[in-house]
Amino acid sequence: MIEVNHLTKRYGNHTAVSDLSFTIEKGQIYGFLGPNGAGKSTTMNIMTGCLAATSGEVRIGGFDIFEEAEQAKKLIGYLPEQPPLYLDRTPREYLTFVARAKRIPERQIPEQLTQVMAVTQTIDVADRLIKNLSKGYRQRVGIAQAILGDPEVIILDEPTVGLDPRQIIEIRDLIKELGKDHTVILSSHILSEVQAVCQTILIISKGKLVACDSPANLEKLFAGTTTVDLVAEASEGELWEILSGVGNIAKIEVTEKAPNRCKARLNMGNREGNQACREIFFAFSKAGRAILQMSTARASLEDIFMELTAGEREEAQ
Ligand code: ADP
Ligand code: MG
């Protein structure tokens, strides 16, 4: 349905999106996940034809978003991060304006408005000024504007930002409902959000795609790792030597060291927790060194997200 090929966007000498490629299939809900500044909005603005790319290609249903903008744009409804709402208008006036801009034939407009207002449950507020609506209702009006003209693809940039928990649940339910007969792409910097509504997660970090899979597969792929936190009565040198006798440790991170006491975090790969502890225990015992503390943890999807986007956080600080 959508193909993004080698998309790059530079602002001066800052690269916001870097050689991004992915494919969006019909009929799923996709989540763009990444910390603030990752390049989500930039990518969505380019995909919807609102912003020019530095290089690369975007095709919507086979149409090039730049070369065949009119056909391509007909297939997409977009709710940008800052919805272009007219505060001194009512939702009915605003949606009529959008319907005309989308060139929906005049006599079809009333029926289309009724339909999108029913789906987004905005009929009750149709004749109030938008400036007097709650953020939740404004967001519904924003979504109503995106789905006018019945586009196949709906792109929503951070649709739940700034909403209270109840409004978040309502908007999520609405997105799930839309996902039944549309392709939906939403962005978020909150993992639990994309986990709750999306069938496929694309993790973006520093303008690059770092992972793309179902939440379950991402968890299986990365989160199968067991981490062991260890405090041992040994020098750092001894610790390294003892652990070198335990095969297949993906990563050793010594976090504290005293002459005869070390604290370390070990990535034990996909070993089961007790098995990892057993191997470490016997290695230390054979060397005549005591383990003072040992605990295991398995990585969650949250950990994966933190790890994949770690560089970004450090840079930001
Ligand atoms: P996200 O939506 O994931 O938070 P953005 O796409 O908004 O990320 O931004 C990606 C990067 O591009 C950020 O570093 C941001 O500061 C930069 N950026 C975005 N828009 C502009 C602009 N108009 N001019 C210069 N830099 C920009
Ligand atoms: Mg953004």
Side-chain angles (χ1 to χ4, degrees), residues 41 81 157-158:
S41 298
E81 201 164 21
D157 194 359
E158 305 252 12

Side-chain angles (χ1 to χ4, degrees), residues 258-301:
N260 196 30
R261 194 169 184 275
C262 272
K263 194 169 171 184
R265 169 163 287 190
L266 318 176
N267 180 333
M268 301 301 291
N270 56 11
R271 280 187 188 80
E272 177 268 329
N274 285 347
Q275 179 57 27
C277 288
R278 210 174 281 125
E279 289 178 38
I280 295 165
F281 171 83
F282 284 119
F284 275 83
S285 138
K286 199 168 135 201
R289 291 284 174 268
I291 289 174
L292 304 176
Q293 283 173 30
M294 183 153 63
S295 62
T296 62
R298 270 180 105 72
S300 66
L301 202 50

Side-chain angles (χ1 to χ4, degrees), residues 4 38 43-45 63 75 84 90 98 103 115 123 134 146 176 199 209 218 225 299:
V4 171
T43 306
M44 289 181 148
N45 282 332
F63 298 110
L75 301 173
T90 66
V98 175
R103 298 202 199 146
Q115 201 202 334
I123 291 176
S134 69
K176 282 189 205 161
Q199 282 119 353
L209 188 66
L218 281 176
T225 55

Side-chain angles (χ1 to χ4, degrees), residues 57-122:
E57 181 194 51
V58 176
R59 288 190 166 273
I60 316 279
F63 298 110
D64 188 296
I65 192 72
F66 307 114
E67 313 276 319
E68 299 153 296
E70 199 174 326
Q71 294 102 311
K73 281 188 184 178
K74 264 214 161 79
L75 301 173
I76 343 170
Y78 182 34
L79 176 66
E81 201 164 21
Q82 259 95 42
L85 297 174
Y86 296 99
L87 298 179
D88 284 322
R89 294 281 141 78
T90 66
R92 195 187 304 279
E93 288 164 345
Y94 169 64
L95 292 172
T96 305
F97 169 79
V98 175
R100 286 180 184 146
K102 289 193 179 188
R103 298 202 199 146
I104 295 171
E106 202 64 27
R107 50 191 171 73
Q108 286 176 21
I109 291 179
E111 191 194 321
Q112 282 241 8
L113 288 202
T114 308
Q115 201 202 334
V116 299
M117 287 196 285
V119 172
T120 55
Q121 295 178 21
T122 47

